[in-house]
Amino acid sequence: MKNASSLEQRLRSEMTGDVFFDDFNRGRYATDASFYQIMPAGVVVPRTVDEALRALAIARDDGRIVTPRGGGTSQCGQTVNDGIVVDLSKHLNRILSLDVDNRTCVVEPGIVLDDLNRQLKQHGLWFPVDVSTASRATIGGMAGNNSCGGRSLRYGTMRDNTLSMDAALADGTLLHFGEVPRDLTRINSPDSGSSLFRDMLDLGEREAAEIADKFPKVQRRVGGYNLDALVPRNAPNNMAHLLVGSEGTLAFTTQVELKLWPVIRNKALGVCHFGSFYEAMDAAQHLVKLRPIAVELVDRTMIALGREIAMFQPIIAAAVRGDPDAILVVEFAEEDQADNLARLKQLGELMADLGFGWDRPQRKWGGVVEIIEPALQAGIADFRAAGLNVMMSMKQEGKPVSFVEDCAVPLPHLADYTERLNAVFARHGTRGTMYAHASEGCLHVRPVLNLKLEKDVKAMRAIAEEAFEMVREYKGSHSGEHGDGLVRSEFHETMFGARIVADFREVKQRFDPDNTLNPGKIVDPPRMDDRSLFRFSQEYRVGELQTALDWSAYPGAGGGFQGAVEMCNNNGACRKLEGGVMCPSYRTTRNEKDVTRGRANTLRLAISGQLGPDALASDEMMDTLKLCVSCKACRHECPTGVDMAKMKIEVLAARAATHGLSLRDRLVGYLPRYVDLASRFAPLANWRNRSPLLRALFEKLAGISAKRALPAFRRDTFRPDAEVLGPPDGREVVLFADTFNRGYERENLDAAIEVLLAGGYRVHLPRPSDGGRPPCCGRTFLSAGLVEQARAELDRLVATYVPFAARGVPIIGLEPSCLLTLRDELLSLRSDDAAKAVSAHALLFEEFLVREAEAGRLALPLGAVAGKAVVHGHCHQKSFGALKPVEKVLRLVPGLEVKIIESSCCGMAGAFGYGAETYQASIEMAELSLLPAIRSADPDTLIVADGTSCRHQIMDGSGRTPLHVACVLAMSLKCAKSSSDQSIKEEAHG
């Protein structure tokens, strides 16, 4: 092989896309969603198909292997190798053509399934291979693995829905793989292609009897190469079906032609409850007779874990009755909803015929909860789709491990198979989690193991051998959805026999004689338990490290910081492009570096010494986290709970300790300590905004973008004359006047006081016991990594507020990032009873008002202020499930139509949007959905945003003036009073 630097230079000179050969970027591509890790020699992110093929040619010339990669969500290690990884997901993601009448489309391999379906929906079509990773799985990756999805009972597998593929062989030959007649007449292919197809058809004819005998007779058979596509009985033969499931080992896909289906318009779900897991599995074979499109299993473990995850709690509360051992979600989706409802009724009758009832003993306890409401149906689908990550949310060293996950057995054997498999797990000292596709006899089965321990690695091997032996006994398939990769390929000989494996090898040799394309998968694999290929190899160590925050909920070094970082399982939920908030920076850049998964991988490699000494505080680590806006979306939306905002504080603290602070860090971090002084000299302090010269100077010296006006200091900051307002007998509240509203937008605090007083509350505005500055949450200090300074601020705040919290007085705040610091970071800095009391009583303004309204204690005389209001939720509101109260409070205003903007982070994110190097990313985040929605709003529509940063971003980007909810309610009070005064005048003159 030539020197790596010369390869890098050649790739860079002939590519316009990204080329990475540094340790940090290579490390981010060393893992997928499996337990393997193999460091690639380099990474190429081509801008065009031609560039991708050029990278293949250059790598081949250099003697390097090539591994194509999409979303990097493979469960079995398909997308990791030690050569050149070619990431197709960033740029090669277009629909090339669409034929609505014939229901077909041609796409590039990097297009994400959800993105494809969003574009198809307007035409009434969708691609129905609905894998649970649809928000990040690419069509090329799905074709590579022969993905199936939850509704394959109706729609089939990826193979069943792939019409043709264009691909390049390892030597660069471009071929069209589609239907061909056995005599190969009338095919438009070069001689080399015709010769290849001829050899494959001959192999299919020669081995037809062996294929018929040895290939499992279940739909969920995705192991090995699809040799059955080559046999005479399948004429005309579709050569694309040989590429489907080949895991990038035969050819480099450039485009895929897909079969499309009409969108599902009506659905009805029956959530079948079972007191016995065995009975649930035995019932599956009977439930499918009602012809549902899916029957999905959720077991006791997944229900219990889901109940601990905020985003799934209301869904489980609505759909799950009692304490079932398992539920089967049965989905009907016929065109006529009356048909669906009739089948739902039949489902209840069938469950009764099978002996199940809500009043029966445990083994036969059960029944059906009917779900007709679309929003709840969608929530259940999201929960089921998140099954993998829900299972991985266990905060312990042992995790559910994927290696026997995709075994598929005929339905009559499913109950016996799962019972015997649980016995195998118990014999090896573990237990398993089970969920997913009961309708196909393909359960996602994961025993809980700690692969850092040699004994658990040996147990994994033994479990695999015993499980696969059972599968063969039942004439099932050991690969039922997620393919072979490094996990299952070595077991092909025992599954298919030596002759079929020799056929696999012949196919690989004929397509790729130099073994260039993703070797080690399907043919000639390593042992699945080769620990040198593991993410946690024998050499994996994390030395003790000093951390600033409390990570004790997790195991490992750094007081649990190691365990928190290792919670990321690489499944890539953070790569979703729409819905929710996570991950806003990735949505703008599409870079692996800028997604939560990429950051978590980098942290894991850094703390385990794989990126060199002092990597945690390095420039490269800061570059990795540069676009993390600390939105906390991952804390809420990552089902394994990876809290990158909190982890970033640790990195910033390490950085500050090692390298000190920049001028910008000091200006941002210490804001609470100088804001009052600056307010006294407001005209002078604001001079920078009026002077282009000073703007340019600030950009050069402090890294603050000259394109931004900084929030203006004001002389009339919020300085209440009294510590308590309102009637002596009013219900008590404490109003937390945060630094931002106190120093820059006091009208929000004035409005809040006006609303609270109108409601009859007694409002406390306590001064700190030390007589110094007003209380502060320390948020700005945390954003600069100044944890001890933040702790000092919170100590003052707790001392001030704990006497009120001790007697149950709510502590109300207006700024989400500040108030919610009391519910989050405060408890990572202090675990004493005083801190817990303050945290427990901290409420956002809207949360408090909604609680009072629902208890019948809120009486506000409100009047009409506008016809419509659009609301942008602060990221932290969304992370803590606190956005719904904003909507509920605004609906108290008479005649006000309220619409929540479906937006990710506004992009300002504290000081992020003011940074010279992050300004452009900030604008791009805002332009994803927020600013277009604001611009499209009518001039008389109210724009509502509780976050200080959000309001500044909206004003900068649209020219509209957004309002805090408190101001809207204060306006409503004034309108009501004005209307009342007018009525009195009219009566007086009447």
Side-chain angles (χ1 to χ4, degrees):
M1 291 186 184
K2 298 175 184 176
N3 187 283
S5 62
S6 64
L7 172 61
E8 179 183 1
Q9 289 169 6
R10 187 177 173 194
L11 285 167
R12 288 188 184 282
S13 68
E14 300 188 34
M15 299 281 146
T16 61
D18 295 323
V19 175
F20 302 121
F21 275 72
D22 62 287
D23 289 346
F24 278 72
N25 276 299
R26 289 165 55 229
R28 288 188 270 269
Y29 283 87
T31 51
D32 54 14
S34 70
F35 53 81
Y36 295 105
Q37 175 176 301
I38 303 176
M39 191 68 76
V43 179
V44 175
V45 186
R47 288 187 177 274
T48 65
V49 167
D50 287 344
E51 279 197 357
L53 298 179
R54 189 69 191 137
L56 172 62
I58 293 170
R60 182 182 64 243
D61 290 349
D62 201 75
R64 304 280 180 161
I65 65 174
V66 172
T67 297
R69 178 169 165 131
T73 61
S74 298
Q75 297 291 306
C76 307
Q78 287 96 328
T79 59
V80 294
N81 228 319
D82 61 3
I84 302 300
V85 171
V86 181
D87 182 352
L88 305 174
S89 65
K90 181 173 181 177
H91 298 296
L92 303 185
N93 48 31
R94 298 174 300 160
I95 297 177
L96 299 175
S97 66
L98 171 63
D99 185 338
V100 174
D101 292 337
N102 291 308
R103 297 178 185 168
T104 66
C105 70
V106 177
V107 301
E108 291 181 316
I111 192 169
V112 170
L113 176 58
D114 272 357
D115 194 29
L116 169 63
N117 278 331
R118 276 190 289 269
Q119 296 180 62
L120 293 175
K121 187 176 182 180
Q122 61 184 306
H123 303 287
L125 300 172
W126 77 311
F127 186 67
V129 185
D130 56 335
V131 294
S132 62
T133 53
S135 64
R136 59 269 195 201
T138 63
I139 292 297
M142 292 170 62
N145 290 348
N146 192 9
S147 296
C148 301
R151 297 182 174 96
S152 60
L153 187 66
R154 170 70 57 88
Y155 297 107
T157 67
M158 190 75 191
R159 171 181 170 177
D160 298 315
N161 293 279
T162 299
L163 300 175
S164 70
M165 299 172 71
D166 284 9
L169 301 182
D171 65 4
T173 302
L174 286 168
L175 295 177
H176 177 75
F177 293 80
E179 276 198 353
V180 297
R182 296 293 299 181
D183 60 5
L184 294 180
T185 56
R186 300 183 306 280
I187 67 165
N188 183 18
S189 185
D191 291 343
S192 57
S194 297
S195 174
L196 175 65
F197 295 164
R198 178 74 276 156
D199 289 347
M200 292 300 100
L201 294 176
D202 288 348
L203 183 148
E205 186 167 358
R206 183 188 79 218
E207 299 296 331
E210 187 74 2
I211 291 167
D213 182 50
K214 294 298 175 64
F215 272 45
K217 307 299 188 295
V218 291
Q219 185 193 44
R220 292 298 192 103
R221 196 278 307 157
V222 302
Y225 294 129
N226 291 323
L227 303 185
D228 55 331
L230 305 174
V231 299
R233 66 180 173 82
N234 281 335
N237 302 89
N238 193 324
M239 303 306 294
H241 293 174
L242 183 59
L243 293 190
V244 172
S246 64
E247 303 185 351
T249 63
L250 299 183
F252 192 101
T253 303
T254 59
Q255 62 183 46
V256 187
E257 183 185 14
L258 303 172
K259 176 183 178 183
L260 306 177
W261 295 71
V263 294
I264 293 175
R265 300 191 182 280
N266 295 299
K267 284 194 294 188
L269 301 186
V271 181
C272 298
H273 289 56
F274 299 88
S276 159
F277 185 87
Y278 182 92
E279 292 291 339
M281 296 301 91
D282 189 57
Q285 61 185 308
H286 305 292
L287 302 184
V288 297
K289 294 174 183 177
L290 295 177
R291 291 182 292 121
I293 69 169
V295 180
E296 295 286 288
L297 165 69
V298 178
D299 76 351
R300 173 183 292 278
T301 302
M302 185 171 168
I303 293 171
L305 290 171
R307 281 174 169 151
E308 297 177 3
I309 299 171
M311 65 188 297
F312 296 132
Q313 288 168 354
I315 296 163
I316 295 172
V320 179
R321 178 173 172 179
D323 186 29
D325 208 31
I327 60 174
L328 291 177
V329 181
V330 183
E331 181 177 12
F332 301 105
E334 304 305 317
E335 185 69 22
D336 185 354
Q337 183 70 339
D339 191 359
N340 295 324
L341 297 177
R343 296 191 195 201
L344 199 56
K345 181 181 178 183
Q346 292 169 9
L347 179 64
E349 294 168 349
L350 176 57
M351 286 285 287
D353 291 344
L354 293 172
F356 297 101
W358 298 115
D359 57 348
R360 300 297 302 275
Q362 184 73 18
R363 189 170 181 86
K364 285 292 184 178
W365 174 87
V368 181
V369 172
E370 298 182 354
I371 308 293
I372 309 299
E373 204 271 313
L376 184 53
Q377 290 178 350
I380 292 171
D382 289 343
F383 176 55
R384 218 302 296 153
L388 165 64
N389 282 333
V390 171
M391 292 300 188
M392 296 298 286
S393 66
M394 297 178 178
K395 295 178 181 179
Q396 60 188 48
E397 291 276 15
K399 294 286 194 298
V401 180
S402 172
F403 62 99
V404 292
E405 180 174 40
D406 277 7
C407 297
V409 298
L411 277 181
H413 303 301
L414 185 59
D416 287 339
Y417 167 68
T418 53
E419 185 171 59
R420 289 175 64 189
L421 193 59
N422 277 324
V424 170
F425 296 160
R427 193 158 59 249
H428 291 282
T430 187
R431 58 191 172 85
T433 62
M434 298 186 185
Y435 66 101
H437 317 304
S439 55
E440 299 280 11
C442 178
L443 302 184
H444 293 334
V445 178
R446 290 180 164 226
V448 177
L449 297 167
N450 178 6
L451 295 187
K452 296 174 184 174
L453 304 177
E454 184 64 29
K455 69 178 184 65
D456 279 20
V457 174
K458 290 179 178 177
M460 178 178 70
R461 176 88 197 185
I463 291 169
E465 291 175 349
E466 293 178 50
F468 295 158
E469 183 179 350
M470 275 193 288
V471 171
R472 292 192 296 275
E473 177 186 332
Y474 291 124
K475 301 187 184 304
S477 169
H478 67 185
S479 292
E481 179 173 14
H482 294 155
D484 302 321
L486 297 169
V487 172
R488 286 185 277 270
S489 294
E490 74 157 297
F491 297 100
H492 283 336
E493 188 157 336
T494 53
M495 175 60 66
F496 294 102
R499 183 170 171 179
I500 291 293
V501 169
D503 292 334
F504 291 164
R505 191 171 290 112
E506 180 180 338
V507 171
K508 171 66 172 173
Q509 175 67 22
R510 183 64 181 82
F511 269 81
D512 181 22
D514 295 326
N515 210 22
T516 297
L517 296 173
N518 205 22
K521 321 303 185 329
I522 301 179
V523 169
D524 299 325
R527 284 176 61 89
M528 61 91 74
D529 53 339
D530 180 350
R531 289 194 69 187
S532 69
L533 305 178
F534 281 21
R535 190 182 307 175
F536 304 122
S537 67
Q538 295 101 319
E539 291 76 34
Y540 185 85
R541 300 285 187 280
V542 176
E544 197 48 59
L545 62 155
Q546 187 66 40
T547 52
L549 304 177
D550 179 10
W551 300 95
S552 58
Y554 302 91
F561 182 60
Q562 172 190 354
V565 170
E566 291 173 358
M567 286 298 292
C568 178
N569 64 20
N570 284 280
N571 195 251
C574 42
R575 286 172 62 98
K576 64 183 178 183
L577 299 174
E578 285 196 15
V581 180
M582 181 176 69
C583 176
S585 52
Y586 175 74
R587 293 182 182 189
T588 61
T589 71
R590 304 284 184 95
N591 291 330
E592 185 68 20
K593 173 176 72 73
D594 300 320
V595 72
T596 305
R597 178 180 73 177
R599 295 169 182 136
N601 266 323
T602 308
L603 284 171
R604 177 180 54 80
L605 292 166
I607 63 176
S608 58
Q610 298 179 68
L611 297 177
D614 302 320
L616 196 64
S618 66
D619 291 344
E620 292 87 350
M621 183 61 74
M622 289 306 299
D623 183 60
T624 300
L625 291 172
K626 181 175 75 174
L627 296 188
C628 173
V629 294
S630 297
C631 65
K632 291 186 178 290
C634 49
R635 173 196 170 276
H636 177 65
E637 295 175 29
C638 170
T640 63
V642 173
D643 188 345
M644 190 52 58
K646 187 176 175 182
M647 293 175 187
K648 184 176 181 179
I649 293 172
E650 287 290 357
V651 175
L652 291 171
R655 177 79 176 183
T658 304
H659 298 282
L661 296 176
S662 68
L663 176 58
R664 185 172 65 196
D665 289 336
R666 293 181 185 279
L667 288 172
V668 172
Y670 284 91
L671 174 66
R673 298 189 183 176
Y674 68 76
V675 65
D676 289 321
L677 178 62
S679 70
R680 297 176 188 173
F681 304 96
L684 182 63
N686 294 330
W687 190 16
R688 176 263 177 201
N689 285 351
R690 301 189 299 274
S691 167
L693 180 62
L694 284 179
R695 285 196 181 209
L697 188 62
F698 260 68
E699 179 164 305
K700 183 177 181 180
L701 297 179
I704 296 174
S705 174
K707 298 177 181 177
R708 289 277 194 196
L710 291 172
F713 293 103
R714 54 197 292 175
R715 286 178 171 171
D716 61 333
T717 57
F718 182 76
R719 298 186 185 95
D721 295 327
E723 289 191 54
V724 61
L725 304 169
D729 59 346
R731 288 178 56 80
E732 292 183 289
V733 298
V734 171
L735 182 61
F736 169 31
D738 63 271
T739 298
F740 304 106
N741 282 301
R742 185 173 62 82
Y744 298 112
E745 297 180 83
R746 67 162 295 167
E747 56 272 11
N748 298 328
L749 289 165
D750 293 334
I753 291 172
E754 183 179 347
V755 171
L756 291 170
L757 293 179
Y761 296 97
R762 186 165 177 80
V763 182
H764 293 276
L765 296 157
R767 297 187 178 99
S769 54
D770 63 6
R773 293 174 292 102
C776 171
C777 69
R779 165 61 55 193
T780 60
F781 289 111
L782 291 173
S783 71
L786 298 170
V787 176
E788 290 310 310
Q789 288 85 340
R791 194 191 311 273
E793 294 295 332
L794 284 166
D795 286 346
R796 295 176 68 249
L797 182 146
V798 169
T800 304
Y801 291 159
V802 72
F804 299 93
R807 64 175 193 264
V809 177
I811 299 164
I812 301 171
L814 302 187
E815 170 56 38
S817 63
C818 294
L819 186 284
L820 293 172
T821 298
L822 309 186
R823 299 231 290 257
D824 190 5
E825 287 87 357
L826 170 58
L827 299 182
S828 293
L829 292 168
R830 291 181 54 165
S831 58
D832 57 288
D833 289 342
K836 290 177 181 176
V838 169
S839 179
H841 289 85
L843 290 169
L844 285 169
F845 179 71
E846 308 82 35
E847 290 180 305
F848 171 74
L849 293 180
V850 166
R851 191 176 74 173
E852 293 293 286
E854 291 177 348
R857 295 192 293 259
L858 184 66
L860 290 174
L862 299 176
V865 293
K868 295 179 182 178
V870 294
V871 179
H872 167 69
H874 189 285
C875 294
H876 294 190
Q877 284 178 314
K878 296 171 184 175
S879 178
F880 286 84
L883 181 56
K884 196 68 176 176
V886 176
E887 183 178 2
K888 288 183 177 180
V889 162
L890 288 173
R891 290 191 188 282
L892 297 176
V893 177
L896 186 62
E897 179 186 328
V898 182
K899 180 182 179 182
I900 302 293
I901 299 172
E902 292 297 326
S903 55
S904 185
C905 178
C906 73
M908 188 64 88
F912 178 88
Y914 294 101
E917 77 283 9
T918 52
Y919 168 80
Q920 188 57 40
S922 167
I923 295 299
E924 289 172 2
M925 290 179 197
E927 291 290 358
L928 285 173
S929 56
L930 173 59
L931 292 181
I934 298 295
R935 295 186 192 111
S936 66
D938 295 334
D940 55 351
T941 295
L942 298 180
I943 310 297
V944 181
D946 279 357
T948 298
S949 297
C950 307
R951 291 192 294 273
H952 282 267
Q953 181 77 309
I954 290 169
M955 194 176 303
D956 283 358
S958 70
R960 299 288 296 271
T961 301
L963 302 171
H964 191 284
V965 169
C967 289
V968 176
L969 293 181
M971 289 165 53
S972 183
L973 288 172
K974 287 184 174 67
C975 288
K977 185 176 186 304
S978 175
S979 178
S980 175
D981 291 346
Q982 182 63 32
S983 297
I984 292 172
K985 287 181 181 179
E986 290 176 357
E987 289 179 8
H989 288 83

